[in-house]
């Protein structure tokens, strides 16, 4: 597996991975209506183009296939961190996260924050994040629970 910086040509594959991961990996923590509402975020082309233009993007690849990605916004916010359903528990999220944290440290950030799903919360805790608060996010009329988390660097 290799990790490289992302670019606009990665967007279509990122969107597929985003939706597939939510569908398959998060189904134990969210009901079908919540999954569909969350996945609909892929339809917000303007938001994703902003991600591609403004965020630090890392892409994990294995055998010329995208197996994960992570984005860092404003130098201290982990916006997106997704790993392909067939590559869970292989250390990919940890490697992506560690590279994003290294970038934040190089930018002299004092902390990292993230809004994370129920599914991702144990991973972020294992990386040293603490829950600041539980949140209810309304997406297209559907409530989803997530957590505002923070880590001091």
């Amino acid at each position: 597996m290799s990790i490289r910086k992302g670019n606009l040509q990665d967007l279509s594959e990122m969107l597929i991975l985003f939706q597939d991961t939510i569908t398959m990996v998060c189904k134990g923590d969210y009901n079908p209506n919540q999954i569909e509402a969350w996945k609909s975020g892929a339809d917000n082309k303007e938001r994703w183009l902003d991600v591609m233009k403004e965020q630090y993007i890392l892409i994990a690849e294995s055998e010329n296939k995208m197996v994960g990605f992570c984005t860092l916004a404003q130098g201290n916010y982990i916006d997106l961190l997704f790993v392909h359903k067939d590559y869970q528990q292989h250390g990919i999220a940890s490697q992506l996260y560690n590279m994003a944290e290294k970038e934040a440290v190089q930018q002299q950030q004092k902390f990292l924050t993230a809004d994370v799903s129920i599914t991702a919360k144990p991973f972020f805790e294992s990386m040293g994040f603490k829950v600041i608060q539980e949140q209810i996010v309304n997406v297209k009329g559907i409530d989803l629970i997530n957590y505002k988390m923070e880590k001091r660097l």
Side-chain angles (χ1 to χ4, degrees), residues 17 21 27 31 40 43 93 113 122 124 145:
L17 194 149
T21 301
K27 64 185 177 188
N31 69 43
S40 75
D43 299 334
T113 62
F124 277 88
I145 292 173

Side-chain angles (χ1 to χ4, degrees), residues 58 78 81 84 106 118-119 132:
L58 295 167
I78 303 289
L81 177 55
H84 190 284
Q106 286 177 343
I118 296 168
T119 312
I132 302 302

Side-chain angles (χ1 to χ4, degrees), residues 20-76:
D20 288 351
T21 301
I22 292 168
T23 300
M24 300 308 296
V25 177
C26 302
K27 64 185 177 188
D29 296 312
Y30 295 94
N31 69 43
N33 290 336
Q34 292 170 319
I35 295 284
E36 288 306 310
W38 186 3
K39 281 175 35 180
S40 75
D43 299 334
N44 186 344
K45 298 298 183 218
E46 188 176 318
R47 187 254 200 270
W48 284 90
L49 289 173
D50 285 346
V51 166
M52 302 310 290
K53 193 169 33 179
E54 299 170 11
Q55 296 189 25
Y56 180 77
I57 302 164
L58 295 167
I59 305 290
E61 292 179 317
S62 180
E63 299 169 8
N64 294 320
K65 175 182 176 181
M66 186 182 297
V67 296
F69 67 89
C70 180
T71 72
L72 182 66
Q74 291 113 27
N76 68 358

